[in-house]
Amino acid sequence: MAPPKRQSNRLAGATRSATPKGNVKPKATQSTLAFHGAGGIRKPGAAEPGKDVKDKNAEELSVEVAEPEKEVTEPEEEVATPVELEVESPAVAPEADPTLPPEEAAARAVTDAQIKEFWEGKEKERRAPRVHQEGLSVEEKLCRQWDTDARYGPCMGISRIKRWRRAHGLGLDPPIEVYAILLREQKADKQAYVDKLMSPRAGEEP
Amino acid sequence: MADQSIYLQDPSDHEFPVSTRVASTYNPLHTFELPKGEEKGYSQQFADMYFLRLVALKPTVEKIAAEAWAEFELAGEKARQVERVLDVRQGELCWMVGTVFMELPLKPNVLDDLVKEHWIAAPPAREKYISYDDKDKAFLEDESGRLRLTGAHLKSHLLVTGCIVAVMGSENAAGEFEVVDIKFPDLPAQPERWARDLGAKKKKPPLCGKLGIVSGLGVNVDSGDTLLHDLLVEYLLGDIPSPADVSQISRLIIVGNSMDHASPIMSREDFDAAKRTKKFGQDIHDPVPSELLDDFLAQLLPTIPITILPGETDPANVTFPQQPLHPALFPTSRAYINPPTENDPTPNWLDSVSNPWEGDVDGWRFLATSGQPIDDVFRYLPGDDRLVMMEHVLRWRNAAPTAPDTLWSYPFQDKDPFVIKECPHVYLVGNQPRFETAIIQGPAGQTVKLISVPKFKETGMLVLLDMETLEAECVKFEVPEPK
C-alpha cells in the first residue's frame, strides 16, 4: 500500500528536479549507486528505516546483495547530481549491515585517507614516479594499476568490479581499497582502461 | 471333425513369473550446465579460461613439485622455484608451474578451409596433429610469457595443450628450457561411495544391480539396419531369453552419438558433399533421426530409467560442454522428462544430461563424456592407446584439456568446470574404437575404473557394469550376414 505510493511520488519529484539541471540521463544507462538498503524505496537521508519496511525489504536485500550493481536505485540518483551524491555517500553510509558480504562491508568502511596511504605504498615500491598520470585522480591511478596486475587474470572482456569479485572468489586476496573505489563508482560495470582503448568505441568521448 | 479344443481357447490362468527390475539410486550433478538466456554471454575472451585453470591447479602442482624436488640435486646444484616463467636465468636449475602449449603446424588452420573451398581435391583429412618432425614445439606458458621446452626427457611424457604442469630444468644457450623432470597434479580427492546420498546417516545402502552402458547408437533413416537396435530393446525388456538376469540391469546410460548425421552444424565433409548435390531444403533440421530415437527410448522407458548424453552427431550445441538434449526432440518420451522450466531437483526416468556429465549412480561417482575430449587428445599424442589417454586426462585433473585450443568451448569467465575437483569412481568415455577397461590408482588411495565404450552401430556391444564390484562385462549383439 504505502510503498507504491511513495515510489510514484519520488519519481515525480525526481523528474522535476532533474530537468532544470538539464542532464537527464536515459534510464537504461543510468548509473546505479549500490546503497545497500535499496529495495528502491528509501529517502536519502533517512537513517533508520521503519521496522516494517526493513522486514519487507529483508528478502529483497538478501537477494540483491549478490549483485549490488544491478540494484535499481534511480530514485536516489535523480534527486541530486553525481558530485553531490559522492559527497552524500559518507553521510548515508550504512552501519554494519549483517546481510552484506563481509568484503563489501569492509570495502564500504574504507576511507579516502586509507586509499591514499595504500597508493603511497605502491608508489614507494617504484624507484621513479609514474609519468603521464598527472591528470588522473588517485582512484583512477589505483584502478589502472589494478587492471594491469597479472595475478588476478586478464582485464579485457570483464568489468573491473566483476574481476575483483572473481579474484576474491578464487582466494587470490585482491586489495580491499580497490573494491572500495569500485563500489563508489558511478558506472557499475566500468571496464578496464586498456579494454576501453581496445574496444571498437575507443574514439568516442568518455 | 478335428479336435477343436485346441483352438479358440480362453486366456489361460497360468501365472508367468514376472521379474521386477532392480531400482537404481540416482543423484546427478549439474556441473557442466550453462546458465540460460542472458547470463550466457560470449563477449569474453578465452584467456580467462586459461587463467582460471592455472589458478585452480597451480597451488596443488606447486605443493607436489616442492615435495618431490626439495632434495633434488643435479651436478651439485639445487633446484629452486621461480615465480614466473620469464624469471628463468640461463644455466640455473629451477622449476616453475605453467600451462603447456603445443605448437603443431598441422593443427586446424583456417587457411586449410580456404584451400578446400577453392581446389577440387581436398587435402586428405589428418588423423593426428603431430607430424613426427622438428616442427612440433612444446611451450610452457603463464601470465608472464612463454618458454620453449626441449630435451630428450620431454618425449617420455605425454603432453597436450592445456595441462598444468611443473617443469624442472635449466635454460640452455639457445634460450630453450631443457627439461629434467615434469610433475602434474595427479588424481584429486575421491569422495566415499554413497557420500552424497546417505551422508552422515549410517543407513544401510540399497542393494544395487548392474548398469547398462551403450554409445554410438547412430539412429537414422539411412544408417543401415535397425535390427541391432531392436535386439537391444528386446534384450533390455527381457523379451529375449538369455542366461543373464536382465532384471538386474537397473539403468541405461546412452553416452553420445545416439543419432547419426543429426548435428545442426554439418561437418566439413558433409558440407562439401551437400554443396555438390544441392538438395533442396538441405539446411533445415531433419526431424527423422530424433523421431526414430524417440521411438527407441519410448519402448524402453516404461521399464528402465535412462540417462542420455549428447554427442558429436546429435542435435545439441557444438561447443563443449554440450547442453542436454532438449525434451522437444522427444515427443513421446517427453512424458518421462521433467519439463525444462521446472526446478524440481529429482530427475525423472529419462534424464537428458550435459556432455561431459558428472553424477552419482548407485553411490559411485561417475564422470562420463561422449568421447570428444579423448578423441581430441588422441590427435595430439602418438599411438592409439585410449586408456592411457583417459588415465592422463584424470591425472591432469582436466576433463577437456585441449579446450579451447582445438576443442570448441564456451568461454568460461568465473570458473572452469573442466577442472576435476573430485575424483570419480568410474570414468566412462563413449564412441571409442574398442571396449577396454582398466583400474588406476591414485597417490591417496583413490581407485578409478576406466571404461572405453565402443560404438554400438559398429560393434553391437552393450557394456554391463556390476555396481557392487565394479566389474565390467559386455553383451555383443550381432546380425549374421546372409551367405
Side-chain angles (χ1 to χ4, degrees), chain A residues 152-154 157-158 162 166, chain B residues 44 47-48 51-52 55 143 413:
Chain A
Y152 310 110
I158 188 171
K162 246 183 101 178
R166 176 180 76 182
Chain B
Q44 55 265 31
D48 285 308
F51 163 69
L52 291 168
V55 162
E143 56 259 9
Q413 203 173 46

Side-chain angles (χ1 to χ4, degrees), chain B residues 234-235 238-244 246:
Chain B
E234 287 180 18
Y235 178 79
D239 288 342
I240 301 180
S242 81
V246 178

Side-chain angles (χ1 to χ4, degrees), chain B residues 230-467:
Chain B
D230 288 341
L231 281 176
L232 179 64
V233 169
E234 287 180 18
Y235 178 79
L236 288 171
L237 290 178
D239 288 342
I240 301 180
S242 81
D245 191 4
V246 178
S247 65
Q248 283 294 308
I249 305 178
S250 56
R251 176 170 279 273
L252 179 70
I253 293 190
I254 303 179
V255 192
N257 286 358
S258 325
M259 297 174 244
D260 210 12
H261 296 295
S263 174
I265 311 246
M266 287 190 270
S267 65
R268 195 78 216 176
E269 292 73 25
D270 291 344
F271 185 68
D272 290 335
K275 252 175 47 173
R276 275 180 237 124
T277 53
K278 286 239 187 269
K279 221 165 76 173
F280 176 73
Q282 189 70 49
D283 47 356
I284 298 176
H285 167 68
D286 189 4
V288 174
S290 54
E291 279 172 19
L292 293 174
L293 182 67
D294 190 34
D295 288 335
F296 175 83
L297 292 175
Q299 287 177 281
L300 288 173
L301 273 170
T303 65
I304 188 169
I306 300 180
T307 303
I308 181 163
L309 273 77
E312 205 177 332
T313 55
D314 285 331
N317 52 315
V318 190
T319 56
F320 227 57
Q322 283 183 299
Q323 295 307 290
L325 291 168
H326 200 275
L329 293 167
F330 309 122
T332 327
S333 315
R334 205 183 297 169
Y336 294 91
I337 307 185
N338 282 332
T341 49
E342 207 175 279
N343 286 331
D344 189 358
T346 33
N348 211 332
W349 269 43
L350 177 60
D351 196 18
S352 176
V353 293
S354 59
N355 169 30
W357 174 69
E358 211 181 10
D360 282 346
V361 182
D362 290 336
W364 301 111
R365 176 65 60 90
F366 274 70
L367 177 63
T369 71
S370 300
Q372 291 111 316
I374 301 296
D375 288 339
D376 212 40
V377 168
F378 163 77
R379 294 189 196 115
Y380 278 77
L381 302 175
D384 192 23
D385 198 344
R386 302 285 176 136
L387 284 179
V388 165
M389 295 174 196
M390 286 162 65
E391 181 188 352
H392 273 79
V393 159
L394 287 176
R395 291 201 195 272
W396 291 326
R397 285 204 205 181
N398 198 331
T402 54
D405 189 25
T406 39
L407 189 65
W408 294 341
S409 163
Y410 173 75
F412 289 103
Q413 203 173 46
D414 292 317
K415 70 177 179 65
D416 187 356
F418 295 128
V419 171
I420 301 174
K421 296 224 161 52
E422 286 184 316
C423 190
H425 294 105
V426 181
Y427 182 37
L428 285 178
V429 179
N431 299 302
Q432 298 299 294
R434 298 164 295 276
F435 167 60
E436 287 175 313
T437 58
I439 298 183
I440 60 171
Q441 309 280 344
Q446 304 100 323
T447 42
V448 187
K449 176 104 186 163
L450 308 176
I451 305 178
S452 94
V453 187
K455 292 194 193 165
F456 185 79
K457 206 173 108 174
E458 290 167 13
T459 58
M461 287 204 201
L462 165 74
V463 178
L464 293 177
L465 182 66
D466 188 323
M467 296 309 271

